């Protein structure tokens, strides 16, 4: 499994309010899906079509003390989903991330580009972000680029 997502919490907490897309492998073929998760609850999958190369927008908004709106859209296919859920959480971090719980990161030409990244309405570059690597069992490492000149973009690439 390989999943780019955005969310609140995760780093330094036991909860995560997140939404994104993922690629799984089934019988040697990719299977794409869209989801949200209010961890520690299990992910909830949307019944929508996602394909490699689609442009996805995702936002997680804290709308009240323990209430979150999770918005996900595929601007290539033209669908959007919005879910509002409650969870008692710590608000320890905000993240734009790629993750593979199985440490199975694929080779993606050009990497994964995150654009329009803002936290609490503030450009990524103005938040003193921490860039973390994702390791593929020691075979490859996915690393974030420097924040782009627009202050809102970066690319995760495998090397």
């Amino acid at each position: 499994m390989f999943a780019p997502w955005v969310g609140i919490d995760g780093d330094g907490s036991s909860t995560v309010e997140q939404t994104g897309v993922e690629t799984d492998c089934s019988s040697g073929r990719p299977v794409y899906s869209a989801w949200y998760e209010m961890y520690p609850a299990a992910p909830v999958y949307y019944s929508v079509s996602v394909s490699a190369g689609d442009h996805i927008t995702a936002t997680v908004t804290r709308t009240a003390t323990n209430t979150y709106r999770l918005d996900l859209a595929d601007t290539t296919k033209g669908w959007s989903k919005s879910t509002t859920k409650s969870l008692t959480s710590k608000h320890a971090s905000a993240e734009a991330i790629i993750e593979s719980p199985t440490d199975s990161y694929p080779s993606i030409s050009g990497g994964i580009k995150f654009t329009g990244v803002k936290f609490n309405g503030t450009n990524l570059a103005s938040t003193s972000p921490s860039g973390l690597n994702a390791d593929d069992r020691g075979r490859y490492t996915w690393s974030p680029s420097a924040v782009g000149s627009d202050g809102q973009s970066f690319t995760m690439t495998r090397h």
Side-chain angles (χ1 to χ4, degrees):
M1 180 181 104
F2 175 77
W5 57 266
V6 300
I8 300 173
D9 288 320
D11 187 22
S13 70
S14 58
T15 59
V16 185
E17 307 79 42
Q18 61 186 347
T19 190
V21 294
E22 73 182 54
T23 303
D24 293 290
C25 185
S26 178
S27 302
R29 297 182 164 245
V31 176
Y32 306 103
S33 54
W35 53 272
Y36 74 87
E37 182 177 26
M38 299 293 285
Y39 185 85
V44 174
Y45 291 89
Y46 294 116
S47 296
V48 293
S49 175
V50 179
S51 300
D54 285 3
H55 290 248
I56 305 295
T57 61
T59 306
V60 176
T61 306
R62 182 176 154 198
T63 58
T65 301
N66 291 311
T67 304
Y68 301 87
R69 189 180 73 238
L70 304 106
D71 297 309
L72 188 66
D74 184 323
T75 58
T76 305
K77 296 234 176 8
W79 59 256
S80 64
K81 296 290 182 179
S82 184
T83 303
T84 300
K85 294 287 180 181
S86 294
L87 180 69
T88 301
S89 55
K90 296 189 178 197
H91 317 122
S93 63
E95 302 176 16
I97 189 169
I98 61 169
E99 179 179 33
S100 176
T102 60
D103 291 329
S104 302
Y105 294 93
S107 175
I108 298 174
S109 179
I112 305 249
K113 184 165 185 152
F114 287 83
T115 60
V117 180
K118 291 183 177 185
F119 295 112
N120 206 25
T122 302
N123 283 351
L124 172 65
S126 299
T127 65
S128 301
S130 296
L132 303 175
N133 292 338
D135 187 26
D136 187 1
R137 295 184 193 147
R139 293 187 317 224
Y140 299 98
T141 299
W142 282 80
S143 299
S145 67
V147 176
S149 61
D150 63 359
Q152 300 179 15
S153 63
F154 68 96
T155 301
M156 293 292 295
T157 54
R158 183 175 118 165
H159 52 90

